[in-house]
Amino acid sequence: MSGELIRLGLAGLGTVGTGLAKILASNADWIQRRLGRQVVIKSALVRDPTKVRDLPSRMNIALATSMDDLLQDPELDIIVELMGGLDAPYRLISAALARGKAVVTANKALLAERGNELFSLAAKHGAALYYEASVAGGIPIVQVLKESLAGNRIKALTGILNGTANYILTEMTDRGLDFQTALGQAQAKGYAEADPTLDIQGMDAAHKLVLLIRLAYGEDYPLSELPVQGISHVDPQDIIFADQFGFRVKLIAQVRHSQGGLDAGVFTALVRQEHILGKVDGPFNAVLVEGDAVGPLMLYGQGAGDLPTGSAVLADIMALARAGCSPNNTGFPEIVLPPAAILSPDHVRSRHYFRFTVLDRPGVLAVIAGVFGQRNISIAQMVQKGSSSGRNVPVVFITHSAQARDVTAAVREIDTQSFITAPSVHYRIL
Ligand code: NAP
Ligand code: HSE
């Protein structure tokens, strides 16, 4: 990478690609001052070259419709993959790495699914594969784990990693919006994935968590083994009950070092309103890291959108433009990371929120309390909303810390009782 210009071959000129183009235009002088060179997008691969695009005026980008146009251009210094999806980006990135070309991507789905192959290929060819924008949009957590906290043993990492889910939950909580309306708004604002089920079913956060586990622990946690829960089932009445108990409902991605293994998962949780993560709202993301030396450290910022994500993509481009020595892709020297020691989800302990829909009749609470007692689940608070003899009423419990295996067994047993009239709901409390 030498000469006056850093020339980019950009694959994808959608939300993030356009955001990158805008920053390159608006901050061109500043970027040149920092690097001593200009960064330009020479060509961009798109699906539909006739589409009207909101690009900076005076930006002269040649549109391409074949990835060979990018791969066979010897003038390109970096291939920037911002297409999304799996197959086409895999073909492009693997072909670029095989040619020894530096690659920057925001594609967490691809790296979570096929990262092992791509990082091995990059190592084999001494090529860079950078991915700051793939986790938490504008928040520079990849660089922080790879470089700034490299000497720490990470005890735990807890994040709000999906802007769309956090935006939906915030709108449902603060404005009483229904789920579909809030999702539509998140899509219109450019936060959601092309397939928004990835956001609302927790898979996008899972993709990001798997990448963070690699960076924090140097272990490969297979995506298929990660417990993942989304937010599409969240009932507005649980948001209201949570609020009455002083909590907010959040989609949490967490990994903790516990009992000699990694306890990891993506789950809907109740978070205390005063907790630092309870205050992270809208499309904002946050990552709370606990290192053995640094202690608790939190990064907070916009987890999605054109300019925040473009900012992270540009950080990788500038890091590569400066890099004089071999690239640091994974933060570890191994070509293939060892498999993670996974703690069985059954052994995870936490406090819980339960909502049972029951017939309002004598003896109901005694049965529920009896099942909890037999399973070592200790009740901290309880409320019955309304009273309507012989009719359905919700009863809500907050418990002390209990083991997941006991919680599952208790709910299964309670759900068989004749007084239960709708499936029970239970969430972890952070
Ligand atoms: P997007 O708005 O849907 O844009 C995708 C772009 O790629 C479009 O320009 C599209 O062309 C082009 N494209 C897609 N498939 C193609 C193919 N097979 N061949 C050629 N061109 C193709 O997507 P995005 O929101 O910018 O997201 C891009 C990537 O960044 C994804 O991996 C996403 O997960 C990641 N990401 C997004 C955000 C965010 O806030 N949006 C944040 C972090 C990471 P046309 O324009 O012609 O349709
Ligand atoms: N769809 C993602 C989100 C984009 O909502 O967080 C950022 O990765």
Side-chain angles (χ1 to χ4, degrees):
M1 232 178 279
S2 58
E4 293 288 290
L5 295 179
I6 308 284
R7 292 182 182 84
L8 308 178
L10 180 59
L13 206 39
T15 303
V16 185
T18 305
L20 174 66
K22 286 178 181 165
I23 307 170
L24 286 173
S26 62
N27 294 354
D29 293 348
W30 182 244
I31 294 164
Q32 180 157 21
R33 162 129 191 261
R34 283 211 183 258
L35 293 179
R37 285 182 284 171
Q38 258 184 292
V39 179
V40 295
I41 301 172
K42 183 180 175 201
S43 48
L45 176 66
V46 293
R47 258 181 312 224
D48 176 5
T50 64
K51 201 187 260 184
V52 179
R53 296 174 196 274
D54 176 25
L55 287 169
S57 56
R58 289 187 288 121
M59 196 170 247
N60 189 16
I61 304 173
L63 294 186
T65 50
S66 158
M67 42 177 95
D68 283 342
D69 294 340
L70 266 56
L71 290 168
Q72 286 169 8
D73 183 345
E75 276 195 353
L76 296 179
D77 297 297
I78 304 174
I79 301 291
V80 182
E81 186 280 305
L82 301 174
M83 293 190 279
L86 295 175
D87 293 342
Y90 179 81
R91 277 186 278 122
L92 175 71
I93 294 176
S94 54
L97 293 173
R99 288 167 161 81
K101 193 77 94 180
V103 173
V104 170
T105 180
N107 196 330
K108 57 267 169 154
L110 177 63
L111 293 181
E113 300 264 3
R114 304 188 70 175
N116 272 341
E117 292 165 69
L118 291 173
F119 287 120
S120 301
L121 192 62
K124 186 172 160 201
H125 295 278
L129 174 55
Y130 279 24
Y131 46 100
E132 183 64 73
S134 62
V135 184
I139 297 177
I141 183 66
V142 172
Q143 175 76 359
V144 164
L145 290 173
K146 207 162 58 172
E147 310 282 2
S148 320
L149 300 182
N152 278 253
R153 299 306 299 252
I154 305 299
K155 295 182 184 172
L157 182 152
T158 309
I160 291 178
L161 299 181
N162 186 270
T164 303
N166 204 42
Y167 177 85
I168 293 171
L169 291 171
T170 304
E171 292 295 302
M172 288 174 75
T173 305
D174 293 347
R175 272 176 272 288
L177 248 59
D178 65 84
F179 186 92
Q180 283 304 332
T181 307
L183 170 60
Q185 289 186 4
Q187 288 177 293
K189 287 170 188 280
Y191 306 146
E193 296 301 303
D195 172 7
T197 57
L198 292 173
D199 297 295
I200 62 180
Q201 291 177 356
M203 281 314 293
D204 177 74
H207 292 147
K208 294 164 179 169
L209 183 60
V210 162
L211 296 184
L212 292 180
I213 292 172
R214 294 175 68 95
L215 288 158
Y217 296 96
E219 293 180 4
D220 176 39
Y221 196 121
L223 182 64
S224 55
E225 293 191 38
L226 190 74
V228 181
Q229 190 186 35
I231 61 159
S232 45
H233 60 280
V234 171
D235 189 317
Q237 64 176 312
D238 293 309
I239 291 179
I240 294 167
F241 281 126
D243 182 64
Q244 289 167 2
F245 282 105
F247 296 102
R248 288 176 82 82
V249 178
K250 296 283 176 198
L251 183 68
I252 295 294
Q254 187 176 59
V255 56
R256 299 184 288 191
H257 201 257
S258 171
Q259 302 166 54
L262 293 183
D263 154 23
V266 174
F267 50 91
T268 307
L270 269 62
V271 182
R272 273 239 155 261
Q273 284 159 357
E274 313 80 58
H275 190 291
I276 195 161
L277 291 174
K279 299 177 193 304
V280 176
D281 284 330
F284 278 79
N285 281 195
V287 190
L288 179 59
V289 186
E290 195 175 347
D292 61 352
V294 74
L297 176 149
M298 190 168 100
L299 286 95
Y300 167 86
Q302 295 189 67
D306 55 355
L307 298 180
T309 313
S311 158
V313 174
L314 181 56
D316 277 347
I317 293 166
M318 292 177 72
L320 286 173
R322 287 199 196 96
C325 48
S326 57
N328 179 9
N329 293 333
T330 64
F332 295 88
E334 294 105 315
I335 289 184
V336 177
L337 295 179
I342 297 175
L343 179 74
S344 160
D346 278 353
H347 295 119
V348 172
R349 292 193 69 88
S350 62
R351 297 171 68 209
H352 280 266
Y353 162 97
F354 294 86
R355 174 171 56 80
F356 300 107
T357 308
V358 302
L359 289 174
D360 192 4
R361 69 182 192 206
V364 167
L365 287 183
V367 173
I368 296 175
V371 174
F372 277 173
Q374 282 158 15
R375 302 282 177 186
N376 289 317
I377 302 171
S378 172
I379 298 166
Q381 283 172 283
M382 178 264 158
V383 69
Q384 173 175 322
K385 211 61 193 167
S387 65
S388 184
S389 187
R391 294 267 186 77
N392 292 334
V393 285
V395 284
V396 175
F397 295 84
I398 302 287
T399 71
H400 294 292
S401 181
Q403 202 164 46
R405 185 176 43 193
D406 293 327
V407 167
T408 311
V411 170
R412 198 176 299 133
E413 192 174 337
I414 292 167
D415 274 353
T416 62
Q417 302 293 326
S418 60
F419 56 74
I420 292 286
T421 59
S424 305
V425 171
H426 63 103
Y427 294 126
R428 280 167 69 170
I429 297 176
L430 201 62

